[in-house]
Amino acid sequence: MTVVPAADAFLRYVRFGWDQAELTTRTYAGHVALYLCWCARTGRDWRTAAQDLGLFTVWLKYGTPEATGIERPVVGRGVVMAGPGTEPYRQPGRIGNVLTGVRQFLLHAITAKSVPSEVLVQLYEVAEDWDLPEEARGEGMSYRLKARHRVQVPRKRRDRATDAEAVALFMACHNARDRFIVLLLARAGLRRGTAAGLRREDIREGFLAIWSVLLR
């Protein structure tokens, strides 16, 4: 469990620089740990391994906990990984989130001069903005940075809880705090981590914003 200074600095930046919740920081930590583990297992330098993120994607997709976990395999026992044609261990959405976390980690390391600047070209390519919504485009011909390594995430219809299920869960609560959390998640559509990171001032400002709209 060796501390990697660049990863430690990035996670401090996520927690205190971006002011993200502890659960969000923990998620980023898991993404970075997977990347560093892959580099260690495959003999790559994490500072320059971005050129092989395609292989990292395959490793994530089919790697079991024995192959991708923190614990190293037992000496003398090779770990054989299944490949295309077998059931993937991680779904595209999960892999996409890991790639996003790794890109943010490497971008922070580039800014901190811990990683060569040319790694940026390995992470992103320059693309036109024609595929963006009209309101997101600039005037005339403009360009943007587009991630080189991506996974196709199938769009699924969310299985939303019915009003009856939300009410049943609300009635099962034993205190006002739990009832508030149920109502917040059911009506505001916040994610679990976002709701857990709310502060008193956030709730007060939200009520003031709603009240100002009602008074118009």
Side-chain angles (χ1 to χ4, degrees), residues 24-47:
T24 302
T25 307
R26 178 181 178 183
T27 300
Y28 273 103
H31 298 167
V32 175
L34 282 170
Y35 174 71
L36 295 177
C37 182
W38 171 70
C39 292
R41 297 282 177 84
T42 58
R44 289 178 169 85
D45 184 349
W46 68 267
R47 300 169 185 82

Side-chain angles (χ1 to χ4, degrees), residues 96-138:
N97 289 337
V98 173
L99 290 177
T100 299
V102 170
R103 282 193 291 266
Q104 292 296 328
F105 164 58
L106 292 176
L107 281 176
H108 181 269
I110 291 173
T111 305
K113 308 294 185 183
S114 300
V115 167
S117 58
E118 54 266 24
V119 172
L120 183 64
V121 182
Q122 300 172 0
L123 296 173
Y124 295 97
E125 59 185 350
V126 178
E128 296 180 3
D129 65 352
W130 59 267
D131 58 337
L132 294 177
E134 185 175 353
E135 55 271 15
R137 301 178 193 169

Side-chain angles (χ1 to χ4, degrees), residues 101-195:
V102 170
R103 282 193 291 266
Q104 292 296 328
F105 164 58
L106 292 176
L107 281 176
H108 181 269
I110 291 173
T111 305
K113 308 294 185 183
S114 300
V115 167
S117 58
E118 54 266 24
V119 172
L120 183 64
V121 182
Q122 300 172 0
L123 296 173
Y124 295 97
E125 59 185 350
V126 178
E128 296 180 3
D129 65 352
W130 59 267
D131 58 337
L132 294 177
E134 185 175 353
E135 55 271 15
R137 301 178 193 169
E139 296 183 2
M141 182 70 71
S142 59
Y143 300 90
R144 62 189 175 92
L145 291 178
K146 187 176 183 179
R148 289 186 178 276
H149 305 89
R150 302 178 298 274
V151 291
Q152 297 294 331
V153 181
R155 294 185 177 181
K156 298 180 181 179
R157 183 179 178 84
R158 296 293 182 182
D159 185 15
R160 181 181 178 277
T162 64
D163 291 340
E165 291 171 333
V167 170
L169 188 59
F170 177 84
M171 297 302 295
C173 296
H174 297 290
N175 54 63
R177 184 204 63 181
D178 293 347
R179 295 190 188 99
F180 172 75
I181 293 174
V182 170
L183 286 177
L184 186 66
L185 296 178
R187 296 308 180 195
L190 299 181
R191 295 183 300 174
R192 181 183 62 182
T194 305

